[in-house]
Amino acid sequence: MKIGIVISDGVGYRNFIYSNFLSEVLKKFDSVKIYSYLPANAFINNYKNVEIIELDLLNENRIIWFFRKIKEVTHLSKNKLKNFGIYDNYTLNKIPSYSLRGLVVRFIFFWASLFKSEWWIGFWTQCQMFSLSFASVTRKYLDILKRDSPDVLFFTHQRPPFIAPMIWAASACKIPSVAFIFSWDNIPSKNRMAGDFDYFLVWSKLMKSELMEFYNRVINSQIFIVGTPQFEPYVLESFKIDKSDFFQGYSIDGIKKIICYSCGDISTSPSDELYIETIAQAILEGAIKEPVDFVVRSSPAETPARYVKLEKKYSWICWNHPKWICSRDSHSEPWSQRIPLKEDIIDLRSLLEFTDVNINMCSTMSLDFMQFDKPVINAVFGNGQNGLYDDQRFLKYAHFKRVVDSGAVTIAKTSEELVDAINDALRFPNKHQAQRKALLELQLGKPLTEVSQTIADTLWQISSRKE
């Protein structure tokens, strides 16, 4: 049996290369082909039956773009009234200009407001795939799949538009396509998937119910609950370090408790500097009642350039800039080409284990810190009326409203609330322990120690169904 694995970006690389996934897959399949949108030389390949094949990138022409865009907007229009995350995404997709593209987008939004059934989404998807069939890169993908003839094609991300030709090629070759739902917010707040897959791997029962709600034509037998490899390095010995090594790496004495602020990227969390400075000033002014060390981890999706002034102003803050390298600059989504070094995952794991409180802006990092039962505070000062970036709107997103309603995190909407929350978390770290455990059980469908084996077993099961 042979398997093809499509890796589209650095996070997929992190999740499926640095976990036990490949080891488990090779127990089931005779050979593995990794079809990569990252440069082939970026991979660490210690397996004799694994081949890395670098794929050319799709350059959408106007026709392909039009069909993709109207498919996505129709999906958003269909679901926007019952879900704030979809509505917010729908609004952000609008273009106010009267350029040619702006006028086309206006027409798309008008049409999608009138014709927004699942039938129309399917129709536009078929139009998109038909237009893709004439693209030169699609023919290359078709030749590759005909040559390799994998028994199943596994997509580690369901959304990037540039994977759509590979979906078409798999269908043309009658190869079962399987999509892993990339993140916890992808179904209830993001755009339509890149195409129609044959099967879906989801984190949990919750994600399965979301998939069937937003993709009405997907049926129960197409969905498998497998958990996520995103957190698997946290239970692997190869990523552990001693507490003393952690202290030494940050020049921390280990006597004081440690606060960690984890940043988002500037497009979704532009107020990170404000929150960092609020915490730093509270420490300097004695508003944080216990002596603490302060560690800040910036986002791997961007360079640390926007924190240069803060680093100079608060030279005593311990900064952890992720060790992610840009594997390629010439790409439509350069952030997707950033890949982690193993040392960075070790750094992240040690932060999760050895710091005492985490603060972030509604990030998936909330779940990361909960893996180590650490108190989490979500700072959201902006309300759309006070001149700050409106990050409080994320509290209404379905996936994060669930987090808020669970009581597993503390929400801080002002600097005073943030300082009070930090003091409370330092003093009573187990206060929301039961809620954190319940939230993880809801979000994660499998124990972390079972995820890679479950995914490999499921892909083997699907490949065995091939006619």
Side-chain angles (χ1 to χ4, degrees):
M1 283 284 195
K2 295 178 289 186
I3 183 172
I5 301 169
V6 179
I7 294 184
S8 59
D9 55 29
V11 180
Y13 180 102
R14 175 196 185 276
N15 292 348
F16 290 94
I17 300 300
Y18 282 125
S19 63
N20 280 339
F21 173 69
L22 283 181
S23 296
E24 293 295 333
V25 162
L26 285 168
K27 293 177 183 177
K28 296 288 184 179
F29 293 88
D30 300 315
S31 71
V32 176
K33 306 280 188 182
I34 294 180
Y35 303 113
S36 174
Y37 290 94
L38 298 164
N41 60 14
F43 284 79
I44 301 170
N45 185 6
N46 297 322
Y47 304 96
K48 65 178 182 180
N49 291 330
V50 175
E51 182 182 355
I52 316 296
I53 300 167
E54 187 176 327
L55 297 177
D56 292 339
L57 193 65
L58 169 71
N59 291 315
E60 289 184 325
N61 61 33
R62 292 177 180 178
I63 296 174
I64 296 171
W65 171 84
F66 175 84
F67 289 133
R68 173 177 65 81
K69 191 69 176 179
I70 197 168
K71 173 195 74 175
E72 293 174 349
V73 173
T74 304
H75 173 80
L76 296 175
S77 182
K78 175 179 179 287
N79 294 291
K80 65 184 174 69
L81 294 181
K82 61 181 179 181
N83 186 285
F84 180 79
I86 294 286
Y87 172 78
D88 197 39
N89 201 347
Y90 175 83
T91 303
L92 291 173
N93 267 268
K94 290 184 176 180
I95 296 179
S97 77
Y98 285 89
S99 65
L100 177 59
R101 174 164 286 208
L103 290 172
V104 173
V105 171
R106 287 170 181 271
F107 168 77
I108 287 172
F109 272 83
F110 172 73
W111 184 274
S113 69
L114 300 176
F115 305 100
K116 51 188 175 182
S117 67
E118 196 69 22
W119 185 91
W120 276 105
I121 296 172
F123 173 76
W124 295 126
T125 301
Q126 289 179 6
C127 291
Q128 178 196 9
M129 290 297 161
F130 180 73
S131 63
L132 280 168
S133 68
F134 297 98
S136 59
V137 72
T138 308
R139 312 313 296 186
K140 290 181 182 178
Y141 293 173
L142 186 63
D143 291 341
I144 289 171
L145 292 184
K146 285 180 177 179
R147 178 196 69 201
D148 295 342
S149 190
D151 295 286
V152 63
L153 190 61
F154 175 49
F155 292 80
T156 57
H157 196 322
Q158 84 288 354
R159 275 201 320 117
F162 51 79
I163 68 172
M166 201 64 162
I167 302 171
W168 180 90
S171 177
C173 293
K174 295 184 169 47
I175 299 170
S177 59
V178 185
F180 176 76
I181 305 302
F182 186 71
S183 189
W184 65 333
D185 65 341
N186 276 190
I187 297 173
S189 66
K190 301 295 185 183
N191 264 329
R192 191 75 177 187
M193 295 185 195
D196 291 337
F197 299 92
D198 297 311
Y199 300 97
F200 303 87
L201 306 188
V202 298
W203 292 23
S204 61
K205 290 180 180 178
L206 169 63
M207 191 176 282
K208 178 177 180 177
S209 67
E210 290 176 336
L211 179 59
M212 296 184 75
E213 175 185 357
F214 288 97
Y215 291 79
N216 304 145
R217 291 180 295 171
V218 175
I219 60 176
N220 183 70
S221 60
Q222 292 177 273
I223 309 172
F224 299 84
I225 297 170
V226 298
T228 175
Q230 180 172 329
F231 310 112
E232 188 176 338
Y234 307 155
V235 296
L236 299 178
E237 289 292 328
S238 59
F239 297 99
K240 292 182 180 180
I241 63 170
D242 293 332
K243 197 171 188 178
S244 59
D245 293 331
F246 171 75
F247 292 147
Q248 183 177 355
Y250 290 95
S251 299
I252 291 173
D253 56 23
I255 299 173
K256 299 187 282 274
K257 290 184 178 179
I258 304 170
I259 297 170
C260 176
Y261 184 87
S262 51
C263 304
D265 65 81
I266 194 169
S267 65
T268 57
S269 189
S271 297
D272 284 332
E273 298 102 308
L274 170 63
Y275 302 140
I276 293 167
E277 188 153 24
T278 300
I279 297 166
Q281 284 298 127
I283 294 171
L284 290 175
E285 295 166 7
I288 306 297
K289 301 304 181 183
E290 297 187 40
V292 294
D293 285 306
F294 185 23
V295 180
V296 176
R297 177 175 168 86
S298 56
S299 169
E302 63 184 10
T303 68
R306 66 174 166 137
Y307 304 107
V308 171
K309 290 183 180 179
L310 281 180
E311 290 191 58
K312 290 180 179 178
K313 185 174 182 179
Y314 302 100
S315 58
W316 50 272
I317 294 177
C318 302
W319 291 87
N320 173 239
H321 296 306
K323 298 180 179 68
W324 287 55
I325 59 173
C326 187
S327 60
R328 175 166 45 200
D329 293 321
S330 57
H331 194 278
S332 59
E333 297 178 353
W335 62 266
S336 73
Q337 301 298 290
R338 295 174 64 85
I339 59 173
L341 303 178
K342 182 178 179 181
E343 289 78 10
D344 183 67
I345 302 176
I346 293 172
D347 284 348
L348 174 57
R349 190 198 180 284
S350 66
L351 280 173
L352 303 177
E353 183 174 9
F354 300 129
T355 57
D356 295 282
V357 179
N358 172 248
I359 304 101
N360 69 75
M361 196 291 293
C362 299
S363 166
T364 184
M365 287 294 288
S366 298
L367 298 181
D368 291 72
F369 277 90
M370 287 182 200
Q371 302 293 338
F372 292 85
D373 196 25
K374 300 303 170 71
V376 176
I377 302 164
N378 295 130
V380 281
F381 292 1
N383 58 22
Q385 299 176 341
N386 58 4
L388 298 175
Y389 174 74
D390 184 11
D391 43 21
Q392 288 182 23
R393 76 184 199 277
F394 293 118
L395 302 179
K396 297 185 286 185
Y397 276 47
H399 76 286
F400 214 86
K401 184 177 185 300
R402 196 174 290 114
V403 175
V404 176
D405 292 345
S406 74
V409 301
T410 302
I411 303 300
K413 296 183 178 180
T414 66
S415 57
E416 293 80 12
E417 288 182 3
L418 178 56
V419 171
D420 289 344
I422 292 172
N423 284 324
D424 190 59
L426 290 170
R427 189 177 178 188
F428 305 108
N430 296 326
K431 186 175 181 179
H432 302 289
Q433 187 176 54
Q435 291 92 331
R436 291 194 292 268
K437 181 180 179 181
L439 180 65
L440 288 179
E441 289 176 353
L442 176 68
Q443 294 287 349
L444 308 180
K446 295 286 180 181
L448 300 186
T449 53
E450 299 177 10
V451 170
S452 283
Q453 181 181 345
T454 301
I455 295 175
D457 289 346
T458 303
L459 292 171
W460 169 261
Q461 178 185 343
I462 291 171
S463 68
S464 301
R465 295 182 178 184
K466 184 179 178 183
E467 293 180 0

